[in-house]
Amino acid sequence: MKETNWHAEAHVAAPDMVPGSDRSTGPGPSVIVLLTCAMAFSMMQLFLLGALGPRLVGELGISRTVLGLTTTAGFGIAASLSPVAGRLVDRVGPRRCLVALLLTAAAALAMIGAAPGPTVLLIAVALGGLPQALANPATNKVILGAFPPARRGSVTGFKQSGVQFGAFAAGLPLSLLAAGVGWRGAVWAAAGTAAVAAVWAARALPSDPAVAAAGGARPVTSPRGVVWRLAAFSLLLGCGIASVNTYLALFGTQRLGLAPTPAAALLATLGVAGIGGRVAWSRSAGRPGRAAALPALLAAGAVGAALLLAASLPVHLLAWPAVVAVGVFAVSANAVSMVLVMQRAAPGKAGADSALVSAGFFAGFALGPPLFGELVSATGYGPGWLLVAVEFAGAALVALPRLLRRVDGSDLSEGRP
């Protein structure tokens, strides 16, 4: 198999290097499905801990506080590992890193399935931080190296929707499997599937280049101002999204008078809306001249969604359009930021730049829920949803300079910082 020049990914696509590809369109659907699976498995351990939480609390004797800390710890570790993971992807190549991602995810899931108590469970969550950190840098680099520019936006939307598909898989088919064979059997089944996906990645993706020798050519400097702004945008966006994800079902039961199943349906509705929104908005962002304006506009739409959640306290039915809006605007904005960082990455730096933006998003997921929970405990859900609105508004303001430059004509080229 020929080698793809991944280090020229921002400028030269090599779709003929991927089995089943066409030079004008890039690889076929199987590679897109593989990238989507990689995104799903990168966070599967956290999704399963949430979905199987009641069983874990009962059998392992862990407290709800410890179970909740697994999410914060998982995202915190992923945020801290992301810069290293991004440089690793740029250095050794995305194929090796995607195989490592899936094998590590399989190991973390197997540890959860074998965990005798909370200590091993937390070690598994820590191990699972590495797949989270590798996911966006490695998959983005594959897209840049294998797909032509016209397809990158839509492909990014599909692969980013893998996160929501992972949540769906943990919440429905694996939960149903757990009811039949036990929660450990369900987790081991997920671990086995991740290992199979690793073999698939090793066979389906093109070979990585030889590892560059230390002290070689000077690295190309990326437009760091753009990347840092996207990282700050992702931090604020992640704070708000994580608060909604963590507390939405509880809000439904405590304040909207919903039974547990309809309350869980609120979260499922958000996930479905997020899948559709990520695919549609990322495809739009892939068209020339559109990506720069979208982050601020989507974050502004997310502000309206958070205000609708606050308004659902007196008018309960507003919760349903509110969660749809969170999915369409807030969840989708993360995928658009990934399209944007790929458009702006310097040659050979797509992994590092993607990792920095991902680190901001993961840090937001670690910080947002504790802040929200403390505020709700002290003042109630109304101020809590207003805090989410403020976080989304902050994200819109961080992204606004890009929109202003886009409007006044000073940033019309998608390739300029």
Side-chain angles (χ1 to χ4, degrees):
M1 186 181 294
K2 299 178 182 179
E3 290 187 354
T4 296
N5 183 9
W6 296 109
H7 294 303
E9 76 279 343
H11 300 288
V12 180
D16 55 316
M17 303 304 178
V18 180
S21 67
D22 177 79
R23 182 174 294 276
S24 62
T25 62
S30 63
V31 173
I32 301 174
V33 173
L34 174 59
L35 297 178
T36 304
C37 288
M39 294 298 295
F41 280 114
S42 71
M43 292 177 56
M44 182 64 73
Q45 75 276 5
L46 294 178
F47 295 142
L48 279 172
L49 287 175
L52 303 176
R55 293 181 173 90
L56 295 172
V57 168
E59 183 173 329
L60 298 184
I62 63 175
S63 68
R64 287 176 173 81
T65 301
V66 170
L67 186 65
L69 283 174
T70 59
T71 298
T72 298
F75 282 109
I77 291 167
S80 64
L81 289 178
S82 285
V84 176
R87 291 193 294 271
L88 182 67
V89 171
D90 285 331
R91 180 168 172 77
V92 308
R95 178 175 175 267
R96 294 184 184 99
C97 289
L98 279 174
V99 172
L101 180 162
L102 291 163
L103 289 176
T104 307
L109 289 166
M111 285 182 66
I112 292 173
T119 300
V120 175
L121 197 65
L122 290 172
I123 292 172
V125 169
L127 181 63
L130 180 59
Q132 288 178 255
L134 287 170
N136 275 314
T139 55
N140 286 355
K141 196 145 182 137
V142 169
I143 291 170
L144 283 169
F147 291 87
R151 291 195 65 197
R152 290 174 189 166
S154 60
V155 172
T156 301
F158 277 110
K159 72 99 174 173
Q160 291 293 126
S161 71
V163 176
Q164 273 68 46
F165 279 117
F168 173 81
L172 188 59
L174 288 174
S175 292
L176 292 175
L177 183 62
V181 303
W183 70 267
R184 294 183 189 274
V187 175
W188 284 329
T193 307
V196 170
V199 175
W200 180 18
R203 294 175 61 86
L205 295 175
S207 299
D208 293 315
V211 177
R218 240 179 121 181
V220 179
T221 301
S222 297
R224 305 306 288 175
V226 171
V227 175
W228 279 103
R229 190 180 298 121
L230 286 171
F233 170 81
S234 298
L235 170 66
L236 292 164
L237 192 72
C239 283
I241 293 173
S243 298
V244 177
N245 285 346
T246 303
Y247 289 96
L248 182 61
L250 193 62
F251 171 68
T253 58
Q254 290 184 341
R255 296 304 306 271
L256 302 183
L258 297 176
T261 299
L266 278 173
L267 199 57
T269 301
L270 187 155
V272 171
I275 291 172
R278 284 187 165 192
V279 172
W281 285 116
S282 294
R283 180 179 291 132
S284 178
R287 296 170 185 164
R290 295 194 179 185
L294 285 178
L297 294 176
L298 292 176
V303 174
L307 293 177
L308 272 179
L309 280 171
S312 70
L313 283 164
V315 185
H316 294 350
L317 287 177
L318 289 178
W320 296 96
V323 298
V324 171
V326 171
V328 168
F329 294 109
V331 174
S332 302
N334 172 246
V336 170
S337 71
M338 283 297 146
V339 175
L340 200 52
V341 77
M342 283 192 286
Q343 290 174 345
R344 300 307 176 93
K349 297 288 288 183
D353 290 350
S354 298
L356 182 58
V357 176
S358 295
F361 195 61
F362 294 147
F365 263 70
L367 294 172
L371 293 174
F372 183 93
E374 287 295 323
L375 183 60
V376 169
S377 296
T379 62
Y381 278 101
W385 297 131
L386 292 179
L387 171 63
V388 172
V390 169
E391 290 163 346
F392 289 151
L397 289 174
V398 168
L400 192 58
R402 302 190 57 76
L403 179 58
L404 292 177
R405 288 205 304 273
R406 181 74 183 85
V407 169
D408 70 16
S410 62
D411 190 25
L412 296 178
S413 170
E414 290 298 341
R416 291 172 56 189

